[in-house]
Amino acid sequence: MAEIKKIGVFTSGGDAPGMNACIRAVVRTAIYMGKEVVGIQQGYQGMIDKKFVPMDARSVRNIIQMGGTVLKTARCMDFRTPEGRAFAYKNLKEEGIDALVPIGGDGTFTGAEFLSREFDIPVVCVPGTIDNDLYGSDYTLGYDTATNTVIDAIDKIRDTAASHDRLFFVEVMGRDSGCIALHAGIAGGAEAILLPEKETAIDELIEKLEQSAEKKTSSIVIIAEGDKNGGAYNVAKRVKEKFNFYDIKVTILGHLQRGGSPSSFDRVLGGRLGYAAVKSLLAGENRKMVGLRNNKVELTDLHEAIHNHTFKLEEDLLEMANILSI
Ligand code: ATP
């Protein structure tokens, strides 16, 4: 394999807190190892539009505490075509970029795998998505911060729910993965948690809420946006038809879950994975994802990380959440 001289780093897909800490780690590790680094703005779109920015150790100062991504991110349709990727590769080559660290989710990894196979450019990817749905890493960048943001919101909603004797349905992010909903629901003491991975019968939910209404004066139900009942408004509407113990309210947390300063966990994770991605590339690794397993940084074959990506529902945790909410 040819010697790597210049590494390109970019963020792609949904932004996630901790991406900046990771960019910083990639840039500084590469420079420490005597390599050049180029930031590619707006992910694959920036490869096509030649949005290349030379980075030095100082260009990533004062970003470790910032949410979002200083390199910006985008979703790029052209990159899904062989012609689009050929054009992107031509631009990379002209810029002298000979290896890549993509930071993103499974879509980003799929694009990176295509590019690497088609043009023989080494890639080592970092899992950056609040959904925590990638195989090969116990945590993805941003998940911890997003879950803490949700818990903070639940705590605030609980204050008003308790003051007015209300039942709140709180919808959180997670189209395919209920990881945020499950963990925030447990940490926030939710009455019930509805997830995309498991269908919840509305009659059973009503029965549970009726039982708890005999003992409690307010309650919170967490619903992942991908829940099969169609989200918080639909669930609330159907529950209202048969349940009249409390005043019912709905809160959709939406994009605020993506923002905010990264938690210490996400900053450290960003540092560890960015550092490991560069070291792995320079050690000759290709088409891998760096992840954290049992608190150790490990490599997973990119193909596996993409295709086994579904979050496996932790049934035992859901059962525990039900028991702890009696
Ligand atoms: P998140 O989990 O936050 O949504 P993601 O990386 O999965 O992040 P996507 O929008 O699915 O987000 O993918 C990001 C980009 O990766 C796409 O806009 C596209 O440019 C590229 N990409 C996704 N799927 C493919 C594919 N099948 N072939 C080539 N490129 C792809």
Side-chain angles (χ1 to χ4, degrees), residues 289-307:
M289 180 195 82
V290 283
L292 198 69
R293 290 201 225 185
N294 298 322
N295 206 22
K296 290 214 161 30
V297 175
E298 288 187 11
L299 293 174
T300 299
D301 191 75
L302 199 52
H303 199 72
E304 263 185 70
I306 296 164
H307 296 284

mmCIF file with all atom_site columns, all heavy atoms in Angstrom, residues 289-307:
data_model
loop_
_atom_site.group_PDB
_atom_site.id
_atom_site.type_symbol
_atom_site.label_atom_id
_atom_site.label_alt_id
_atom_site.label_comp_id
_atom_site.label_asym_id
_atom_site.label_entity_id
_atom_site.label_seq_id
_atom_site.pdbx_PDB_ins_code
_atom_site.Cartn_x
_atom_site.Cartn_y
_atom_site.Cartn_z
_atom_site.occupancy
_atom_site.B_iso_or_equiv
_atom_site.pdbx_formal_charge
_atom_site.auth_seq_id
_atom_site.auth_comp_id
_atom_site.auth_asym_id
_atom_site.auth_atom_id
_atom_site.pdbx_PDB_model_num
ATOM 1   N N   . MET A 1 289 ? -14.499 0.274  10.766 1.00 0.00 ? 289 MET A N   1
ATOM 2   C CA  . MET A 1 289 ? -15.080 1.283  11.653 1.00 0.00 ? 289 MET A CA  1
ATOM 3   C C   . MET A 1 289 ? -14.392 1.150  13.001 1.00 0.00 ? 289 MET A C   1
ATOM 4   O O   . MET A 1 289 ? -14.210 0.026  13.491 1.00 0.00 ? 289 MET A O   1
ATOM 5   C CB  . MET A 1 289 ? -16.582 1.026  11.830 1.00 0.00 ? 289 MET A CB  1
ATOM 6   C CG  . MET A 1 289 ? -17.256 2.050  12.747 1.00 0.00 ? 289 MET A CG  1
ATOM 7   S SD  . MET A 1 289 ? -18.897 1.521  13.291 1.00 0.00 ? 289 MET A SD  1
ATOM 8   C CE  . MET A 1 289 ? -18.475 0.437  14.650 1.00 0.00 ? 289 MET A CE  1
ATOM 9   N N   . VAL A 1 290 ? -13.991 2.271  13.586 1.00 0.00 ? 290 VAL A N   1
ATOM 10  C CA  . VAL A 1 290 ? -13.475 2.203  14.961 1.00 0.00 ? 290 VAL A CA  1
ATOM 11  C C   . VAL A 1 290 ? -14.663 2.393  15.904 1.00 0.00 ? 290 VAL A C   1
ATOM 12  O O   . VAL A 1 290 ? -15.485 3.276  15.710 1.00 0.00 ? 290 VAL A O   1
ATOM 13  C CB  . VAL A 1 290 ? -12.407 3.292  15.275 1.00 0.00 ? 290 VAL A CB  1
ATOM 14  C CG1 . VAL A 1 290 ? -11.073 2.955  14.682 1.00 0.00 ? 290 VAL A CG1 1
ATOM 15  C CG2 . VAL A 1 290 ? -12.844 4.674  14.840 1.00 0.00 ? 290 VAL A CG2 1
ATOM 16  N N   . GLY A 1 291 ? -14.738 1.542  16.900 1.00 0.00 ? 291 GLY A N   1
ATOM 17  C CA  . GLY A 1 291 ? -15.845 1.646  17.852 1.00 0.00 ? 291 GLY A CA  1
ATOM 18  C C   . GLY A 1 291 ? -15.377 1.308  19.254 1.00 0.00 ? 291 GLY A C   1
ATOM 19  O O   . GLY A 1 291 ? -14.203 0.955  19.465 1.00 0.00 ? 291 GLY A O   1
ATOM 20  N N   . LEU A 1 292 ? -16.297 1.445  20.181 1.00 0.00 ? 292 LEU A N   1
ATOM 21  C CA  . LEU A 1 292 ? -15.968 1.146  21.577 1.00 0.00 ? 292 LEU A CA  1
ATOM 22  C C   . LEU A 1 292 ? -16.748 -0.099 21.982 1.00 0.00 ? 292 LEU A C   1
ATOM 23  O O   . LEU A 1 292 ? -17.983 -0.112 21.901 1.00 0.00 ? 292 LEU A O   1
ATOM 24  C CB  . LEU A 1 292 ? -16.396 2.330  22.449 1.00 0.00 ? 292 LEU A CB  1
ATOM 25  C CG  . LEU A 1 292 ? -15.777 2.399  23.832 1.00 0.00 ? 292 LEU A CG  1
ATOM 26  C CD1 . LEU A 1 292 ? -14.296 2.719  23.728 1.00 0.00 ? 292 LEU A CD1 1
ATOM 27  C CD2 . LEU A 1 292 ? -16.474 3.496  24.654 1.00 0.00 ? 292 LEU A CD2 1
ATOM 28  N N   . ARG A 1 293 ? -16.013 -1.135 22.383 1.00 0.00 ? 293 ARG A N   1
ATOM 29  C CA  . ARG A 1 293 ? -16.692 -2.340 22.873 1.00 0.00 ? 293 ARG A CA  1
ATOM 30  C C   . ARG A 1 293 ? -16.110 -2.692 24.221 1.00 0.00 ? 293 ARG A C   1
ATOM 31  O O   . ARG A 1 293 ? -14.889 -2.855 24.334 1.00 0.00 ? 293 ARG A O   1
ATOM 32  C CB  . ARG A 1 293 ? -16.454 -3.532 21.933 1.00 0.00 ? 293 ARG A CB  1
ATOM 33  C CG  . ARG A 1 293 ? -17.163 -3.392 20.614 1.00 0.00 ? 293 ARG A CG  1
ATOM 34  C CD  . ARG A 1 293 ? -17.298 -4.779 20.002 1.00 0.00 ? 293 ARG A CD  1
ATOM 35  N NE  . ARG A 1 293 ? -16.958 -4.753 18.597 1.00 0.00 ? 293 ARG A NE  1
ATOM 36  C CZ  . ARG A 1 293 ? -17.079 -5.792 17.796 1.00 0.00 ? 293 ARG A CZ  1
ATOM 37  N NH1 . ARG A 1 293 ? -17.500 -6.937 18.270 1.00 0.00 ? 293 ARG A NH1 1
ATOM 38  N NH2 . ARG A 1 293 ? -16.753 -5.696 16.541 1.00 0.00 ? 293 ARG A NH2 1
ATOM 39  N N   . ASN A 1 294 ? -16.976 -2.807 25.212 1.00 0.00 ? 294 ASN A N   1
ATOM 40  C CA  . ASN A 1 294 ? -16.525 -3.082 26.584 1.00 0.00 ? 294 ASN A CA  1
ATOM 41  C C   . ASN A 1 294 ? -15.410 -2.123 26.999 1.00 0.00 ? 294 ASN A C   1
ATOM 42  O O   . ASN A 1 294 ? -14.399 -2.535 27.557 1.00 0.00 ? 294 ASN A O   1
ATOM 43  C CB  . ASN A 1 294 ? -16.062 -4.535 26.726 1.00 0.00 ? 294 ASN A CB  1
ATOM 44  C CG  . ASN A 1 294 ? -17.197 -5.477 26.444 1.00 0.00 ? 294 ASN A CG  1
ATOM 45  O OD1 . ASN A 1 294 ? -18.337 -5.216 26.819 1.00 0.00 ? 294 ASN A OD1 1
ATOM 46  N ND2 . ASN A 1 294 ? -16.906 -6.574 25.744 1.00 0.00 ? 294 ASN A ND2 1
ATOM 47  N N   . ASN A 1 295 ? -15.584 -0.866 26.660 1.00 0.00 ? 295 ASN A N   1
ATOM 48  C CA  . ASN A 1 295 ? -14.655 0.213  26.981 1.00 0.00 ? 295 ASN A CA  1
ATOM 49  C C   . ASN A 1 295 ? -13.270 0.067  26.347 1.00 0.00 ? 295 ASN A C   1
ATOM 50  O O   . ASN A 1 295 ? -12.302 0.644  26.822 1.00 0.00 ? 295 ASN A O   1
ATOM 51  C CB  . ASN A 1 295 ? -14.539 0.409  28.507 1.00 0.00 ? 295 ASN A CB  1
ATOM 52  C CG  . ASN A 1 295 ? -14.132 1.839  28.835 1.00 0.00 ? 295 ASN A CG  1
ATOM 53  O OD1 . ASN A 1 295 ? -14.333 2.751  28.020 1.00 0.00 ? 295 ASN A OD1 1
ATOM 54  N ND2 . ASN A 1 295 ? -13.530 2.051  29.981 1.00 0.00 ? 295 ASN A ND2 1
ATOM 55  N N   . LYS A 1 296 ? -13.220 -0.713 25.267 1.00 0.00 ? 296 LYS A N   1
ATOM 56  C CA  . LYS A 1 296 ? -11.958 -0.812 24.521 1.00 0.00 ? 296 LYS A CA  1
ATOM 57  C C   . LYS A 1 296 ? -12.230 -0.387 23.077 1.00 0.00 ? 296 LYS A C   1
ATOM 58  O O   . LYS A 1 296 ? -13.274 -0.735 22.518 1.00 0.00 ? 296 LYS A O   1
ATOM 59  C CB  . LYS A 1 296 ? -11.462 -2.262 24.504 1.00 0.00 ? 296 LYS A CB  1
ATOM 60  C CG  . LYS A 1 296 ? -10.983 -2.766 25.832 1.00 0.00 ? 296 LYS A CG  1
ATOM 61  C CD  . LYS A 1 296 ? -9.827  -3.754 25.631 1.00 0.00 ? 296 LYS A CD  1
ATOM 62  C CE  . LYS A 1 296 ? -9.001  -3.966 26.865 1.00 0.00 ? 296 LYS A CE  1
ATOM 63  N NZ  . LYS A 1 296 ? -9.696  -3.819 28.132 1.00 0.00 ? 296 LYS A NZ  1
ATOM 64  N N   . VAL A 1 297 ? -11.286 0.333  22.496 1.00 0.00 ? 297 VAL A N   1
ATOM 65  C CA  . VAL A 1 297 ? -11.444 0.717  21.095 1.00 0.00 ? 297 VAL A CA  1
ATOM 66  C C   . VAL A 1 297 ? -11.145 -0.504 20.228 1.00 0.00 ? 297 VAL A C   1
ATOM 67  O O   . VAL A 1 297 ? -10.095 -1.136 20.382 1.00 0.00 ? 297 VAL A O   1
ATOM 68  C CB  . VAL A 1 297 ? -10.502 1.892  20.735 1.00 0.00 ? 297 VAL A CB  1
ATOM 69  C CG1 . VAL A 1 297 ? -10.570 2.200  19.247 1.00 0.00 ? 297 VAL A CG1 1
ATOM 70  C CG2 . VAL A 1 297 ? -10.876 3.132  21.548 1.00 0.00 ? 297 VAL A CG2 1
ATOM 71  N N   . GLU A 1 298 ? -12.114 -0.844 19.376 1.00 0.00 ? 298 GLU A N   1
ATOM 72  C CA  . GLU A 1 298 ? -11.923 -2.010 18.511 1.00 0.00 ? 298 GLU A CA  1
ATOM 73  C C   . GLU A 1 298 ? -12.344 -1.697 17.082 1.00 0.00 ? 298 GLU A C   1
ATOM 74  O O   . GLU A 1 298 ? -13.169 -0.813 16.853 1.00 0.00 ? 298 GLU A O   1
ATOM 75  C CB  . GLU A 1 298 ? -12.750 -3.185 19.048 1.00 0.00 ? 298 GLU A CB  1
ATOM 76  C CG  . GLU A 1 298 ? -12.141 -3.749 20.324 1.00 0.00 ? 298 GLU A CG  1
ATOM 77  C CD  . GLU A 1 298 ? -12.808 -5.014 20.810 1.00 0.00 ? 298 GLU A CD  1
ATOM 78  O OE1 . GLU A 1 298 ? -13.620 -5.600 20.070 1.00 0.00 ? 298 GLU A OE1 1
ATOM 79  O OE2 . GLU A 1 298 ? -12.491 -5.409 21.938 1.00 0.00 ? 298 GLU A OE2 1
ATOM 80  N N   . LEU A 1 299 ? -11.786 -2.447 16.158 1.00 0.00 ? 299 LEU A N   1
ATOM 81  C CA  . LEU A 1 299 ? -12.129 -2.269 14.748 1.00 0.00 ? 299 LEU A CA  1
ATOM 82  C C   . LEU A 1 299 ? -13.184 -3.288 14.339 1.00 0.00 ? 299 LEU A C   1
ATOM 83  O O   . LEU A 1 299 ? -13.140 -4.442 14.767 1.00 0.00 ? 299 LEU A O   1
ATOM 84  C CB  . LEU A 1 299 ? -10.888 -2.473 13.876 1.00 0.00 ? 299 LEU A CB  1
ATOM 85  C CG  . LEU A 1 299 ? -9.778  -1.425 14.018 1.00 0.00 ? 299 LEU A CG  1
ATOM 86  C CD1 . LEU A 1 299 ? -8.556  -1.852 13.205 1.00 0.00 ? 299 LEU A CD1 1
ATOM 87  C CD2 . LEU A 1 299 ? -10.249 -0.057 13.556 1.00 0.00 ? 299 LEU A CD2 1
ATOM 88  N N   . THR A 1 300 ? -14.117 -2.826 13.511 1.00 0.00 ? 300 THR A N   1
ATOM 89  C CA  . THR A 1 300 ? -15.120 -3.738 12.944 1.00 0.00 ? 300 THR A CA  1
ATOM 90  C C   . THR A 1 300 ? -15.065 -3.567 11.439 1.00 0.00 ? 300 THR A C   1
ATOM 91  O O   . THR A 1 300 ? -14.897 -2.443 10.944 1.00 0.00 ? 300 THR A O   1
ATOM 92  C CB  . THR A 1 300 ? -16.536 -3.351 13.443 1.00 0.00 ? 300 THR A CB  1
ATOM 93  O OG1 . THR A 1 300 ? -16.551 -3.467 14.854 1.00 0.00 ? 300 THR A OG1 1
ATOM 94  C CG2 . THR A 1 300 ? -17.619 -4.243 12.861 1.00 0.00 ? 300 THR A CG2 1
ATOM 95  N N   . ASP A 1 301 ? -15.219 -4.669 10.729 1.00 0.00 ? 301 ASP A N   1
ATOM 96  C CA  . ASP A 1 301 ? -15.296 -4.598 9.282  1.00 0.00 ? 301 ASP A CA  1
ATOM 97  C C   . ASP A 1 301 ? -16.457 -3.664 8.883  1.00 0.00 ? 301 ASP A C   1
ATOM 98  O O   . ASP A 1 301 ? -17.560 -3.796 9.412  1.00 0.00 ? 301 ASP A O   1
ATOM 99  C CB  . ASP A 1 301 ? -15.546 -6.024 8.781  1.00 0.00 ? 301 ASP A CB  1
ATOM 100 C CG  . ASP A 1 301 ? -15.381 -6.103 7.303  1.00 0.00 ? 301 ASP A CG  1
ATOM 101 O OD1 . ASP A 1 301 ? -14.235 -6.082 6.858  1.00 0.00 ? 301 ASP A OD1 1
ATOM 102 O OD2 . ASP A 1 301 ? -16.418 -6.158 6.606  1.00 0.00 ? 301 ASP A OD2 1
ATOM 103 N N   . LEU A 1 302 ? -16.170 -2.737 7.973  1.00 0.00 ? 302 LEU A N   1
ATOM 104 C CA  . LEU A 1 302 ? -17.181 -1.728 7.634  1.00 0.00 ? 302 LEU A CA  1
ATOM 105 C C   . LEU A 1 302 ? -18.473 -2.368 7.115  1.00 0.00 ? 302 LEU A C   1
ATOM 106 O O   . LEU A 1 302 ? -19.578 -1.937 7.458  1.00 0.00 ? 302 LEU A O   1
ATOM 107 C CB  . LEU A 1 302 ? -16.597 -0.777 6.572  1.00 0.00 ? 302 LEU A CB  1
ATOM 108 C CG  . LEU A 1 302 ? -17.281 0.577  6.391  1.00 0.00 ? 302 LEU A CG  1
ATOM 109 C CD1 . LEU A 1 302 ? -17.432 1.324  7.702  1.00 0.00 ? 302 LEU A CD1 1
ATOM 110 C CD2 . LEU A 1 302 ? -16.486 1.421  5.401  1.00 0.00 ? 302 LEU A CD2 1
ATOM 111 N N   . HIS A 1 303 ? -18.322 -3.409 6.333  1.00 0.00 ? 303 HIS A N   1
ATOM 112 C CA  . HIS A 1 303 ? -19.476 -4.088 5.755  1.00 0.00 ? 303 HIS A CA  1
ATOM 113 C C   . HIS A 1 303 ? -20.403 -4.625 6.853  1.00 0.00 ? 303 HIS A C   1
ATOM 114 O O   . HIS A 1 303 ? -21.615 -4.480 6.785  1.00 0.00 ? 303 HIS A O   1
ATOM 115 C CB  . HIS A 1 303 ? -18.969 -5.235 4.876  1.00 0.00 ? 303 HIS A CB  1
ATOM 116 C CG  . HIS A 1 303 ? -19.997 -5.703 3.902  1.00 0.00 ? 303 HIS A CG  1
ATOM 117 N ND1 . HIS A 1 303 ? -20.364 -4.964 2.806  1.00 0.00 ? 303 HIS A ND1 1
ATOM 118 C CD2 . HIS A 1 303 ? -20.762 -6.826 3.891  1.00 0.00 ? 303 HIS A CD2 1
ATOM 119 C CE1 . HIS A 1 303 ? -21.301 -5.622 2.142  1.00 0.00 ? 303 HIS A CE1 1
ATOM 120 N NE2 . HIS A 1 303 ? -21.569 -6.744 2.790  1.00 0.00 ? 303 HIS A NE2 1
ATOM 121 N N   . GLU A 1 304 ? -19.775 -5.204 7.882  1.00 0.00 ? 304 GLU A N   1
ATOM 122 C CA  . GLU A 1 304 ? -20.566 -5.722 9.014  1.00 0.00 ? 304 GLU A CA  1
ATOM 123 C C   . GLU A 1 304 ? -21.243 -4.591 9.768  1.00 0.00 ? 304 GLU A C   1
ATOM 124 O O   . GLU A 1 304 ? -22.402 -4.698 10.173 1.00 0.00 ? 304 GLU A O   1
ATOM 125 C CB  . GLU A 1 304 ? -19.634 -6.419 10.004 1.00 0.00 ? 304 GLU A CB  1
ATOM 126 C CG  . GLU A 1 304 ? -19.548 -7.909 9.852  1.00 0.00 ? 304 GLU A CG  1
ATOM 127 C CD  . GLU A 1 304 ? -18.689 -8.479 10.957 1.00 0.00 ? 304 GLU A CD  1
ATOM 128 O OE1 . GLU A 1 304 ? -19.119 -8.482 12.113 1.00 0.00 ? 304 GLU A OE1 1
ATOM 129 O OE2 . GLU A 1 304 ? -17.554 -8.895 10.639 1.00 0.00 ? 304 GLU A OE2 1
ATOM 130 N N   . ALA A 1 305 ? -20.490 -3.514 9.991  1.00 0.00 ? 305 ALA A N   1
ATOM 131 C CA  . ALA A 1 305 ? -21.055 -2.371 10.738 1.00 0.00 ? 305 ALA A CA  1
ATOM 132 C C   . ALA A 1 305 ? -22.282 -1.821 10.012 1.00 0.00 ? 305 ALA A C   1
ATOM 133 O O   . ALA A 1 305 ? -23.256 -1.420 10.636 1.00 0.00 ? 305 ALA A O   1
ATOM 134 C CB  . ALA A 1 305 ? -20.002 -1.274 10.900 1.00 0.00 ? 305 ALA A CB  1
ATOM 135 N N   . ILE A 1 306 ? -22.240 -1.858 8.676  1.00 0.00 ? 306 ILE A N   1
ATOM 136 C CA  . ILE A 1 306 ? -23.363 -1.327 7.893  1.00 0.00 ? 306 ILE A CA  1
ATOM 137 C C   . ILE A 1 306 ? -24.555 -2.282 7.946  1.00 0.00 ? 306 ILE A C   1
ATOM 138 O O   . ILE A 1 306 ? -25.690 -1.876 8.185  1.00 0.00 ? 306 ILE A O   1
ATOM 139 C CB  . ILE A 1 306 ? -22.949 -1.103 6.417  1.00 0.00 ? 306 ILE A CB  1
ATOM 140 C CG1 . ILE A 1 306 ? -21.870 -0.030 6.324  1.00 0.00 ? 306 ILE A CG1 1
ATOM 141 C CG2 . ILE A 1 306 ? -24.159 -0.752 5.557  1.00 0.00 ? 306 ILE A CG2 1
ATOM 142 C CD1 . ILE A 1 306 ? -21.118 -0.006 4.989  1.00 0.00 ? 306 ILE A CD1 1
ATOM 143 N N   . HIS A 1 307 ? -24.257 -3.565 7.745  1.00 0.00 ? 307 HIS A N   1
ATOM 144 C CA  . HIS A 1 307 ? -25.369 -4.487 7.509  1.00 0.00 ? 307 HIS A CA  1
ATOM 145 C C   . HIS A 1 307 ? -25.936 -5.137 8.765  1.00 0.00 ? 307 HIS A C   1
ATOM 146 O O   . HIS A 1 307 ? -27.040 -5.676 8.732  1.00 0.00 ? 307 HIS A O   1
ATOM 147 C CB  . HIS A 1 307 ? -24.981 -5.508 6.442  1.00 0.00 ? 307 HIS A CB  1
ATOM 148 C CG  . HIS A 1 307 ? -24.747 -4.832 5.121  1.00 0.00 ? 307 HIS A CG  1
ATOM 149 N ND1 . HIS A 1 307 ? -25.778 -4.388 4.326  1.00 0.00 ? 307 HIS A ND1 1
ATOM 150 C CD2 . HIS A 1 307 ? -23.598 -4.436 4.513  1.00 0.00 ? 307 HIS A CD2 1
ATOM 151 C CE1 . HIS A 1 307 ? -25.274 -3.778 3.271  1.00 0.00 ? 307 HIS A CE1 1
ATOM 152 N NE2 . HIS A 1 307 ? -23.953 -3.800 3.358  1.00 0.00 ? 307 HIS A NE2 1
#
